[in-house]
């Protein structure tokens, strides 16, 4: 695990953009609250993203308290669920079925800054099958392994010298593409009640600030909801969400607004990438 004591002076400043002086102070105060054991269990990258995720709070004390609470909760969650190398060393049955029919997430190419593209095929999500075939405790382990695999895959796919941004600002962030084609409202509500909602909450809580931008494809309902709620959504959040009514609109936006070349996009969208599941099977 990382040694925060080794981060001093310019090393710490190098983690932040020049405009993030407040975040830098929040980082320092947050670390003062954490115990040495907790700091040993955390990577600087997750602390950095947690600190950035609290920027919406104007009161520093509330930001720091939120940071410390989330990070302490993450450490406890990791320990309780045996997350980490120990989890990956345990064979889990139904892994292939789970990654294909319950939580199908594939990683594809990258944008020019090195952020990988992940596609979530929600039309293939079958939580009824998961509840029927997989015991509750086993299902939780598969969910956690998927999230942890996703985090590791994104980190490994990050900048390796060819990117225009500093590596620390790229690592751990991805472009999320949610394909809702063929997903009915009834099926979505069922998946939500059976586990999808809890999954998204877990991802947001224990893997904060990992999404650089979100594309939602093939959903007029989501587009209508976003339009109605847009006045209440912070500007920086709205700018990271793009709702496309079809694949063609998505491809055009990805190319024109985010400079993503066609060869980095999924084959089923007209690109060249076959993609691979974020959760590997040894």
């Amino acid at each position: 695990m990382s040694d925060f004591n080794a981060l001093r002076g310019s090393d710490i400043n190098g983690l932040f953009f020049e405009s993030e002086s407040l975040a830098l102070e929040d980082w320092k105060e947050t670390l003062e609250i954490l115990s040495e054991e907790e700091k040993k269990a955390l990577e600087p990258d997750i602390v950095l993203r947690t600190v950035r995720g609290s920027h919406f709070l104007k009161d520093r004390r509330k930001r720091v308290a939120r940071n410390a609470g989330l990070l302490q909760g993450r450490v406890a969650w990791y320990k309780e669920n045996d997350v980490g190398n120990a989890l990956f060393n345990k064979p889990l049955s139904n892994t292939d079925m789970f990654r294909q029919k319950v939580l199908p997430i594939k990683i594809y190419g990258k944008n020019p800054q090195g952020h990988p593209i992940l596609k979530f095929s929600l039309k293939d999500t079958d939580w009824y099958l998961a509840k029927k075939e997989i015991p509750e405790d086993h299902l939780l382990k598969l969910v956690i392994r998927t999230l942890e695999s996703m985090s590791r895959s994104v980190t490994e796919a990050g900048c390796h010298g060819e990117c225009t941004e500093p590596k620390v600002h790229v690592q751990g962030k991805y472009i999320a593409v949610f394909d809702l084609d063929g997903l009915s409202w009834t099926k979505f509500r069922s998946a939500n009640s059976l586990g999808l909602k809890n999954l998204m909450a877990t991802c947001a809580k224990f893997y904060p600030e990992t999404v650089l931008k979100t594309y939602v494809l093939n959903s007029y309902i989501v587009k209508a909801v976003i339009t109605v709620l847009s006045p209440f959504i912070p500007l920086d959040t709205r700018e990271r969400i793009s709702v496309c009514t079809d694949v063609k609109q998505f491809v055009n936006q990805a190319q024109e607004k985010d400079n993503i070349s066609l060869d980095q996009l999924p084959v089923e969208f007209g690109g060249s990438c076959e993609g691979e599941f974020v959760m590997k099977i040894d």
Side-chain angles (χ1 to χ4, degrees):
M1 288 297 175
S2 298
D3 181 7
F4 280 89
N5 294 322
L7 290 173
R8 290 283 186 266
S10 60
D11 290 336
I12 296 177
N13 294 334
L15 296 175
F16 297 89
F17 292 109
E18 292 182 4
S19 60
E20 293 185 304
S21 58
L22 289 178
L24 175 58
E25 294 304 314
D26 289 353
W27 160 283
K28 294 176 180 177
E29 290 188 28
T30 298
L31 290 185
E32 289 178 1
I33 296 175
L34 301 178
S35 68
E36 290 302 316
E37 182 180 356
E38 288 167 339
K39 284 187 280 189
K40 287 180 180 179
L42 293 164
E43 293 292 337
D45 182 65
I46 191 65
V47 179
L48 177 67
R49 286 189 276 120
T50 300
V51 169
R52 283 178 173 154
S54 297
H55 74 282
F56 65 93
L57 293 172
K58 295 182 179 180
D59 189 295
R60 170 170 290 174
R61 288 174 299 179
K62 291 182 179 179
R63 291 198 304 271
V64 172
R66 180 181 186 272
N67 295 338
L70 287 174
L71 291 168
Q72 289 167 337
R74 178 185 171 92
V75 171
W77 180 72
Y78 256 55
K79 186 175 181 180
E80 177 185 353
N81 293 291
D82 200 20
V83 181
N85 291 327
L87 175 65
F88 283 82
N89 291 333
K90 294 177 180 177
L92 294 175
S93 59
N94 296 312
T95 299
D96 192 43
M97 180 269 282
F98 180 83
R99 71 176 188 169
Q100 291 198 55
K101 298 185 177 298
V102 182
L103 199 56
I105 305 174
K106 285 188 174 183
I107 186 168
Y108 293 86
K110 306 176 186 178
N111 72 352
Q113 290 73 42
H115 300 279
I117 300 164
L118 270 64
K119 183 167 77 74
F120 302 72
S121 299
L122 294 186
K123 65 178 180 179
D124 298 325
T125 298
D126 191 343
W127 286 88
Y128 276 119
L129 178 65
K131 290 290 185 180
K132 179 181 177 182
E133 300 289 339
I134 307 173
E136 191 73 26
D137 61 333
H138 197 72
L139 179 60
L140 176 61
K141 287 182 172 61
L142 285 169
V143 168
I144 294 173
R145 180 177 283 188
T146 300
L147 293 177
E148 192 66 15
S149 296
M150 184 172 72
S151 178
R152 295 184 181 198
S153 295
V154 169
T155 299
E156 290 170 1
C159 273
H160 295 291
E162 77 278 16
C163 304
T164 57
E165 296 182 40
K167 184 172 182 179
V168 70
H169 299 311
V170 175
Q171 209 169 35
K173 289 233 178 188
Y174 60 89
I175 297 168
V177 180
F178 290 91
D179 185 6
L180 307 188
D181 183 36
L183 180 69
S184 67
W185 182 244
T186 299
K187 187 174 181 181
F188 176 75
R189 288 179 60 190
S190 297
N192 227 24
S193 64
L194 289 170
L196 185 59
K197 181 179 179 180
N198 291 336
L199 168 67
M200 300 302 287
T202 299
C203 189
K205 184 175 182 180
F206 298 116
Y207 299 89
E209 290 294 297
T210 55
V211 181
L212 177 73
K213 184 166 184 176
T214 299
Y215 282 98
V216 181
L217 279 60
N218 301 303
S219 177
Y220 289 95
I221 295 176
V222 173
K223 188 176 182 65
V225 171
I226 293 294
T227 300
V228 172
L229 296 180
S230 61
F232 308 99
I233 302 175
L235 179 61
D236 62 335
T237 300
R238 290 205 309 268
E239 291 176 343
R240 289 189 291 172
I241 302 175
S242 182
V243 183
C244 305
T245 53
D246 54 35
V247 170
K248 182 178 180 180
Q249 185 182 15
F250 160 67
V251 172
N252 289 338
Q253 285 195 19
Q255 291 181 300
E256 295 174 7
K257 294 186 177 181
D258 295 316
N259 297 313
I260 300 174
S261 61
L262 192 61
D263 64 341
Q264 299 297 304
L265 296 176
V267 169
E268 57 267 36
F269 292 167
S272 305
C273 282
E274 293 289 346
E276 58 180 23
F277 289 107
V278 295
M279 184 162 62
K280 308 293 190 298
I281 297 178
D282 298 328

